[in-house]
Amino acid sequence: EVQLVESGGGLVKPGESLRLSCAASGFTFSNAWMSWVRQAPGKGLEWVGRIKLKTDGETTEFAAPVKGRFTISRDDSKNTVYLQMNNLKTEDTAVYYCTTDTPFLYFFDFWGQGALVTVSS
Amino acid sequence: SYDLTQTFSVSVALGQTAKITCVGNNIGGKHVHWYQQKPGQAPVLVIYRDTKRPSGIPERYSASNSGNTATLTISRAQAGDEADFYCQVWDGSTVVFGGGTKLTVL
């Protein structure tokens, strides 16, 4: 059974940083693209970014609103993907979901339960 | 940027057929994926690559994609189908989600 478990959410002030982790199990993590998708309170889904495989150079891609502020990394030895969020803004407040990502079709077949990030002064 | 437009809400009588649309410029030329999200839960993939159902998704869920409109069809609607539904595409440079449709089963 595929499991994705996010951790690291919390309350931070604008301008601060936070790192989310996503521990994966039930599939061959090293063969999986991984993405982060977020959902602001009462709003729709918004893709944040993805990381490809080690054999792809762990290439990352990001949505425009977070480009330059967020980074994604992976540790295949720990079956874990990370979302480093810097210079957080109030508009980054959302539930952040870790997802598996399907190469070249770009859909998200498995989702974690989400981690809430609140950015407020 | 590429936009996907979904009707804000759709209502369907119990046992009837619901259709949820996703409108985008020449969306028929892209692969469309659909997600169901129930309150307080993570989204679940219900349709991928326009028409394909992941394992565990009932046959009552089907979809089509042509021209400027993709459609998710839920046959014999049940109370448990009440949820928000999102369409999604890759526009060549970024992932795009529709705004979501709230399905109410009456």
Side-chain angles (χ1 to χ4, degrees), chain A residues 1-117:
Chain A
E1 177 194 6
V2 172
Q3 284 201 315
L4 300 169
V5 180
E6 301 94 337
S7 60
L11 172 64
V12 296
K13 292 181 168 54
E16 294 185 342
S17 298
L18 197 65
R19 188 179 82 158
L20 301 182
S21 300
C22 171
S25 60
F27 63 101
T28 306
F29 180 78
S30 59
N31 289 346
W33 287 13
M34 300 296 294
S35 265
W36 290 90
V37 175
R38 69 183 180 182
Q39 187 171 35
K43 303 297 184 182
L45 303 173
E46 179 184 28
W47 177 69
V48 172
R50 72 164 50 89
I51 186 165
K52 298 182 180 179
L53 308 182
K54 190 171 186 175
T55 52
D56 300 319
E58 297 186 358
T59 302
T60 55
E61 298 171 338
F62 293 94
V66 306
K67 202 167 186 178
R69 298 188 298 122
F70 289 13
T71 60
I72 299 175
S73 60
R74 63 190 299 156
D75 185 339
D76 290 349
S77 69
K78 295 182 178 179
N79 287 356
T80 300
V81 61
Y82 304 97
L83 177 65
Q84 177 68 42
M85 302 180 288
N86 298 330
N87 188 22
L88 281 160
K89 305 177 180 183
T90 55
E91 53 263 41
D92 295 319
T93 294
V95 173
Y96 285 73
Y97 294 101
C98 168
T99 76
T100 55
D101 189 342
T102 305
F104 311 113
L105 286 175
Y106 306 102
F107 64 85
F108 312 110
D109 35 5
F110 296 100
W111 298 62
Q113 84 287 352
L116 176 61
V117 173

Side-chain angles (χ1 to χ4, degrees), chain B residues 24-103:
Chain B
N25 184 36
N26 192 31
I27 195 174
K30 304 181 186 301
H31 290 303
V32 179
H33 320 295
W34 292 91
Y35 303 87
Q36 176 191 56
Q37 185 180 32
K38 297 182 180 180
Q41 297 184 18
V44 172
L45 178 72
V46 293
I47 293 286
Y48 67 96
R49 202 174 177 180
D50 299 323
T51 61
K52 301 188 184 305
R53 277 179 294 105
S55 62
I57 301 303
E59 291 183 9
R60 301 184 298 104
Y61 284 71
S62 63
S64 63
N65 182 24
S66 178
N68 292 323
T69 304
T71 303
L72 174 68
T73 300
I74 304 169
S75 305
R76 303 182 299 284
Q78 302 175 0
D81 295 325
E82 277 207 349
D84 294 328
F85 290 86
Y86 296 90
C87 58
Q88 177 248 311
V89 302
W90 172 254
D91 79 347
S93 63
T94 193
V95 172
V96 181
F97 284 99
T101 296
K102 181 176 182 61
L103 177 68

